[in-house]
Amino acid sequence: MLITCDCQHLKQETKCNASKNSDGNSKKTLNCDDECARLARNQKLAQALNIDPEAHKDDHVPYSNDTLKMFRENIKWAQTQEREFRVFAADEDEKRLRFKPMPAHQRSFLHSLSEDFGLDSESMDPEPHRHVAIFKTPRFVMAPMKTLAECVRIRVAEASNAAAIEPQRRLQGGRQPFNGFLMTHPRFGLTLEELRADYAVSLESTPGLAYDISFLPSEEIVIKARPASESSAISSSAVAASIKALMTPMCAVTSSKKLASSLQLCSLDPSLNIIRREIDDSVRSGGWSQVAAKGPAPRTLRPQSGFGQKTAYTVLGSKLKDAKKKKEEVRKALEADVVDDWEEEVRREEEVAAAKADGGKEGARKFQSSDTEDVHPNLLHNEIKLLDGKEHYEIASQRTSNDVNEGEVSPHEG
């Protein structure tokens, strides 16, 4: 349960400890401190002056964008964690607070929130027991006055107001002359003293004008021109002409010293709100400034090749087709060379080799030219075939054992 002080400013979580015979801590309250007294005085003063405190709240948001983003993802759970932070921050005796194990994205929220509170945080133990512990250090002062829910409402209101004012601002800004410079994405850790020293030579070259350098909440830097003295009156057109003449040397210094990613002209109101940017004008008008604005390059169509004209893809495709065709021919040739009965083929090759050894081509031709009637049926009849322009001898053996006895001998034998 939560116990509070009389003004409801201080809150502390404690055990109930109530029982049948005792109320426990249900009736316990906290004592108001100096902050409670200060708030009470401010409330009495506002009532005396008829001032509505809700209408005069500061729009400053003490939380980072990452914290607000994670808060919007799980508002109910995040409010519970914020309440524990505030109870821990209000207790002067507590120096460390340990949370239960939780997933990584929830631990990230605790780390970000502790940074906004001015506390130190650390993740302990391996998964699945990894948890976050927060500590009070000398840099901790007090918890932020605004809650996360209030800051989310402020950001939503700012976004809606900006969306409603932006069209009017652009319409008015189109007629406003330039009166300053805008630096986008400045170098990390850049200070006002460094900027004044780097731009001193360029800015001092315009007599009658002084320049104020300011950091914007959007992490941009503006350099606004104004009259050097209150008595001197300089027209807005003269101010615009002077800062346009400074654009070239200022860009050279920005690029050489890497002060920012870009430098452009802008128009500022007395509250340092940017009502006109040079890039916005260049994008609407086109031209060379479109490159500076990182506008998309115009799309161009690739010229189409004429009919019958071969491109690189056509040549490559024809080569692949020829190689595939040649590979198919080699495969068919190999299949044609394969015989059905390899043992018969080996036997024929051996007989041809033996015939060459006995008489070569001459003996083979004698066998071919001899009359078949003079040859005994018991002999081997030889045939010579010419294949593919080469002379191959195929000896076919036919034996008529049914008509001839084993003892007969051919007249050519011996």
Side-chain angles (χ1 to χ4, degrees):
M1 60 174 292
L2 286 176
I3 56 176
T4 63
C5 61
D6 293 337
C7 66
Q8 303 293 320
H9 174 63
L10 298 179
K11 298 179 178 64
Q12 182 178 352
E13 188 175 6
T14 184
K15 293 183 179 180
C16 179
N17 292 331
S19 64
K20 186 177 180 180
N21 300 324
S22 174
D23 294 335
N25 295 327
S26 59
K27 295 183 178 181
K28 184 178 180 181
T29 59
L30 299 176
N31 297 324
C32 292
D33 57 3
D34 295 338
E35 181 65 20
C36 296
R38 185 185 70 82
L39 294 175
R41 289 194 302 270
N42 291 342
Q43 186 176 6
K44 291 180 181 179
L45 184 61
Q47 291 176 354
L49 298 176
N50 196 18
I51 297 175
D52 185 9
E54 295 295 329
H56 291 79
K57 280 189 174 181
D58 185 14
D59 289 340
H60 172 68
V61 176
Y63 302 100
S64 64
N65 294 330
D66 293 338
T67 304
L68 296 178
K69 180 181 178 182
M70 289 184 283
F71 174 79
R72 286 192 293 264
E73 292 175 355
N74 193 349
I75 295 178
K76 187 176 181 180
W77 176 85
Q79 285 179 333
T80 304
Q81 310 308 316
E82 180 189 7
R83 192 179 302 112
E84 293 189 17
F85 267 75
R86 293 189 177 277
V87 172
F88 171 70
D91 193 346
E92 297 181 356
D93 297 332
E94 292 292 334
K95 300 299 180 183
R96 185 178 70 172
L97 176 63
R98 179 177 295 179
F99 292 85
K100 64 180 182 180
M102 59 185 64
H105 66 280
Q106 294 181 350
R107 297 198 302 267
S108 299
F109 173 76
L110 297 182
H111 287 301
S112 182
L113 187 60
S114 64
E115 184 69 22
D116 297 333
F117 270 70
L119 302 170
D120 285 358
S121 61
E122 183 180 356
S123 293
M124 298 180 176
D125 293 343
E127 298 288 358
H129 307 290
R130 195 162 183 81
H131 63 279
V132 176
I134 59 176
F135 310 89
K136 287 181 181 177
T137 59
R139 73 187 182 100
F140 169 73
V141 180
M142 62 179 297
M145 298 297 296
K146 294 186 180 70
T147 63
L148 285 168
E150 292 175 349
C151 293
V152 168
R153 287 194 293 269
I154 292 174
R155 287 294 172 85
V156 172
E158 289 177 352
S160 60
N161 293 335
I165 295 173
E166 186 64 22
Q168 299 178 0
R169 182 177 295 177
R170 288 200 173 189
L171 183 61
Q172 296 175 359
R175 298 188 295 267
Q176 292 290 333
F178 295 121
N179 60 354
F181 300 94
L182 175 64
M183 301 174 62
T184 59
H185 303 290
R187 189 181 66 200
F188 179 76
L190 197 60
T191 61
L192 294 178
E193 290 74 15
E194 292 177 344
L195 290 173
R196 291 191 182 98
D198 294 335
Y199 290 132
V201 177
S202 301
L203 298 180
E204 290 175 358
S205 62
T206 55
L209 289 178
Y211 297 89
D212 297 328
I213 304 176
S214 305
F215 287 88
L216 299 181
S218 59
E219 298 183 355
E220 296 174 321
I221 301 176
V222 292
I223 306 174
K224 185 180 179 182
R226 58 174 177 82
S229 62
E230 296 180 357
S231 59
S232 61
I234 302 177
S235 63
S236 58
S237 59
V239 174
S242 299
I243 63 174
K244 284 182 179 179
L246 288 178
M247 191 62 183
T248 301
M250 293 279 287
C251 287
V253 173
T254 305
S255 177
S256 61
K257 297 189 177 183
K258 298 180 179 179
L259 301 178
S261 62
S262 66
L263 180 72
Q264 58 178 301
L265 298 174
C266 67
S267 180
L268 303 164
D269 63 5
S271 301
L272 296 182
N273 294 318
I274 302 173
I275 57 179
R276 181 186 174 191
R277 297 171 183 251
E278 182 185 14
I279 284 183
D280 295 338
D281 297 343
S282 62
V283 170
R284 288 194 294 266
S285 62
W288 67 270
S289 296
Q290 187 176 3
V291 179
K294 297 183 180 179
R299 297 182 63 182
T300 57
L301 294 176
R302 181 178 295 177
Q304 302 250 347
S305 58
F307 180 75
Q309 191 176 9
K310 291 186 178 181
T311 62
Y313 300 102
T314 305
V315 175
L316 180 61
S318 62
K319 288 184 178 180
L320 292 175
K321 186 176 181 181
D322 294 342
K324 187 176 180 180
K325 185 177 180 181
K326 189 175 294 184
K327 185 177 180 180
E328 186 69 20
E329 292 177 353
V330 172
R331 186 183 65 80
K332 290 181 178 180
L334 292 175
E335 291 179 355
D337 292 341
V338 177
V339 295
D340 295 336
D341 191 354
W342 62 273
E343 293 181 350
E344 182 67 20
E345 186 68 18
V346 170
R347 187 184 63 79
R348 289 179 180 179
E349 290 179 358
E350 291 178 353
E351 291 181 354
V352 170
K356 286 183 179 179
D358 292 340
K361 293 182 181 180
E362 191 67 27
R365 285 173 184 168
K366 287 182 180 179
F367 282 116
Q368 185 181 10
S369 59
S370 60
D371 191 4
T372 56
E373 294 179 356
D374 298 335
V375 179
H376 195 275
N378 200 25
L379 291 178
L380 296 175
H381 300 280
N382 301 327
E383 289 181 327
I384 302 174
K385 294 183 180 180
L386 299 177
L387 301 175
D388 297 334
K390 298 180 181 180
E391 295 181 356
H392 292 281
Y393 304 97
E394 181 178 353
I395 304 175
S397 302
Q398 298 177 356
R399 179 179 297 273
T400 55
S401 56
N402 297 330
D403 301 333
V404 182
N405 294 328
E406 269 188 20
E408 294 182 352
V409 181
S410 173
H412 294 281
E413 244 178 342

